[in-house]
Structures are given as C-alpha cells and as structure tokens.
Amino acid sequence: MPMDKPAPVTAAMLAIGDELLSGRTKDKNIGHLAELLTAAGIELREVRIVGDEEDHIVSALNALRQGYDYVFTSGGIGPTHDDITADAVSRAFGVPCLYDDKAMALMAAHYQKRGVEFTEARKRMARMPQGAEHIDNPVSVAPGFVIGNVHVMAGVPSVFQAMLDNVMPTLRKGRQVLSRSIGCPLPEGDIGEPLRAVAQANTAVSIGSYPRFTDTGFANEIVVRGTEQSDVDAAIEAVQAMIDDLVARRAG
C-alpha cells in the first residue's frame, strides 16, 4: 500500500509600511523570501501588505499565523514613532512588549564602539514581545525576533536578507517542488478550455499559463509544478499532446 504523502509546509508573508502602499518604496523582500522558501520546499501561499496601522497589522497577523506553518514579517522595527510592529505582534499574542535585556546590551555595546549615543529612539529597537527569541542581525546589530510561528524582520532589504539567512536553517523543510515548462505557440484564448481539461485530469500538479507577445502574435509558456517527477512528466506529456492537437487542427 503506498504511503500517504507528507503534508506540505506552508508560509505567508506580511509586509508592513505606508511607504509600500504609497509606492515610495518598491518591495524587494517578497521575491527574495519566495525564492529561498521554494528552494527549501516550503510553499509561500499568501502575501499581504498593510500600512502602519496597529489594528490592521494585528488583524492580518492573527489571520495568517492561524492559517500557515510560518509567517514572516518585514518592516516596522526601526527607531521612529511609526515603527509599531513589535507593539502589534505583542498585542496579537496577548503579551507585553518589553525592552529585551540581551538586545539592550548588544546595542549599547555597538553604539559605544561606534561613538554614537544610544538614544531613546535607538532603544526602541530593543523592544519585543515577552518570551520572544532573537533573530541575529549581522548588518546593524538590532535583532529581529521570533515568537510562536512568526518571524519578525527588518524592512531594509540587506538586513532582511541577512536575518533570513539565520532563520532558514531553523525551519522545517518540505518536499522540493519540481518544475518543467513548455512553449506554446497559441494564445490563451485558444488553449483555455483544453488546458482546463488537462489540469482537471492532472490534479497532483499545478499548471500555469504565462502569456507573452512575440513577432507572430501572442504565445504562452506553460509551467507544470509538482512534488513527484512522474506526475510532472505525465502532465507535460498531456500538455504537449494538447498543443500538438490544436496546432494540427489550425493547420488543417
């Protein structure tokens, strides 16, 4: 009797900041996170962007952390008044937001070494939910933190990426997603229904169609993704047969 396939490992991301919604800042963290998670076999299934509103952050975070194995946040843990992520995460978990002794010591030593005053604003970056654990920050010292299944990281891409490098080894890995693609010379309007039938007959994989414009008109790249090579190969064969049939009909 074949063994049941293990449940997928799932994740979501919550990107925080008014500047993302206004277009002033172009997000670079979502794609980086997606790439690393995919390589680890973890499925990034949802991304939300919210502004610097505590109620909105709490609501989104509570929804995501209950629906996915892991949640990753970016932004809002800096030194200014609108950096409220630590407060919002604390509220979502129902615990106080405190100055973390270890973070305070790390940052005090860091600023002393640089000859920079450890101001009240900078001390805000040492605040985190009671019971949270550090995510090391090799770029600018001020740590991120993890509480429950939520990993809270900076919004600055270089810092986010450095923190994420420390997080990835701690995560439970999933099954690697395999991918194959095939070119299709026909527009989506011609392949929509036949491709739907192929997808319905190959439910073990996901099939996506990605249109592009060529010198001869619209064409598509059809991508098949799955965790079993045999399932992916079977779906690719079905897609190729569909394309061959449609091209033959058009030629005839």
Side-chain angles (χ1 to χ4, degrees), residues 8 139 152 154:
V139 177
V152 178

Side-chain angles (χ1 to χ4, degrees), residues 4 11 15 35 50 73 102 115 123 162 166 183 222 224 228-229:
D4 292 338
E35 188 174 329
V50 296
T73 79
K102 180 182 175 183
K123 290 176 182 178
N166 288 322
I222 299 175
V224 176
E228 295 289 345
Q229 188 68 59

Side-chain angles (χ1 to χ4, degrees), residues 10-92:
T10 62
M13 180 174 180
L14 181 63
I16 299 166
D18 290 343
E19 68 277 8
L20 297 174
L21 294 172
S22 70
R24 182 179 180 86
T25 296
K26 307 299 187 292
D27 182 88
K28 296 181 180 180
N29 296 327
I30 296 171
H32 183 76
L33 176 66
E35 188 174 329
L36 265 62
L37 292 180
T38 297
I42 300 172
E43 300 179 17
L44 181 61
R45 291 188 173 179
E46 185 173 353
V47 175
R48 299 191 191 188
I49 301 176
V50 296
D52 298 312
E53 294 286 342
E54 187 172 315
D55 287 348
H56 295 170
I57 298 170
V58 171
S59 177
L61 184 62
N62 278 335
L64 294 174
R65 70 187 182 93
Q66 292 171 19
Y68 301 99
D69 295 310
Y70 297 114
V71 178
F72 305 88
T73 79
S74 66
I77 57 173
T80 58
H81 70 282
D82 57 346
D83 288 311
I84 58 173
T85 298
D87 299 276
V89 175
S90 298
R91 179 176 152 195

Side-chain angles (χ1 to χ4, degrees), residues 3-252:
M3 296 179 63
D4 292 338
K5 294 181 180 179
V9 183
T10 62
M13 180 174 180
L14 181 63
I16 299 166
D18 290 343
E19 68 277 8
L20 297 174
L21 294 172
S22 70
R24 182 179 180 86
T25 296
K26 307 299 187 292
D27 182 88
K28 296 181 180 180
N29 296 327
I30 296 171
H32 183 76
L33 176 66
E35 188 174 329
L36 265 62
L37 292 180
T38 297
I42 300 172
E43 300 179 17
L44 181 61
R45 291 188 173 179
E46 185 173 353
V47 175
R48 299 191 191 188
I49 301 176
V50 296
D52 298 312
E53 294 286 342
E54 187 172 315
D55 287 348
H56 295 170
I57 298 170
V58 171
S59 177
L61 184 62
N62 278 335
L64 294 174
R65 70 187 182 93
Q66 292 171 19
Y68 301 99
D69 295 310
Y70 297 114
V71 178
F72 305 88
T73 79
S74 66
I77 57 173
T80 58
H81 70 282
D82 57 346
D83 288 311
I84 58 173
T85 298
D87 299 276
V89 175
S90 298
R91 179 176 152 195
F93 279 87
V95 297
C97 187
L98 306 173
Y99 287 94
D100 181 84
D101 291 340
K102 180 182 175 183
M104 288 286 283
L106 284 170
M107 294 173 64
H110 172 69
Y111 286 115
Q112 182 178 24
K113 183 177 180 180
R114 293 175 56 198
V116 175
E117 182 183 358
F118 190 25
T119 62
E120 290 302 317
R122 293 188 174 105
K123 290 176 182 178
R124 281 180 53 82
M125 294 187 289
R127 298 168 69 248
M128 57 186 66
Q130 186 178 50
E133 298 181 3
H134 284 206
I135 298 174
D136 289 339
N137 172 6
V139 177
S140 54
V141 178
F145 58 85
V146 55
I147 179 170
N149 62 339
V150 178
H151 296 76
V152 178
M153 293 173 285
V156 177
S158 61
V159 183
F160 178 88
Q161 292 173 20
M163 288 182 174
L164 188 58
D165 286 344
N166 288 322
V167 167
M168 291 302 300
T170 71
L171 304 178
R172 179 167 58 92
K173 305 302 187 290
R175 303 189 71 188
Q176 185 176 11
V177 176
L178 307 172
S179 176
R180 283 187 63 186
S181 62
I182 186 170
C184 175
L186 304 173
E188 284 190 310
D190 288 355
I191 68 172
E193 288 305 315
L195 188 61
R196 180 191 300 274
V198 171
Q200 290 175 340
N202 292 269
T203 56
V205 300
S206 65
I207 302 176
S209 174
Y210 304 95
R212 64 183 187 277
F213 189 76
T214 69
D215 293 339
T216 58
F218 283 103
N220 290 278
E221 181 182 24
I222 299 175
V223 179
V224 176
R225 298 182 179 88
T227 58
E228 295 289 345
Q229 188 68 59
S230 59
D231 293 334
V232 173
D233 291 344
I236 282 288
E237 289 181 10
V239 170
Q240 184 65 68
M242 176 206 74
I243 294 171
D244 292 344
D245 179 62
L246 292 174
V247 170
R249 291 186 186 183
R250 173 177 285 193

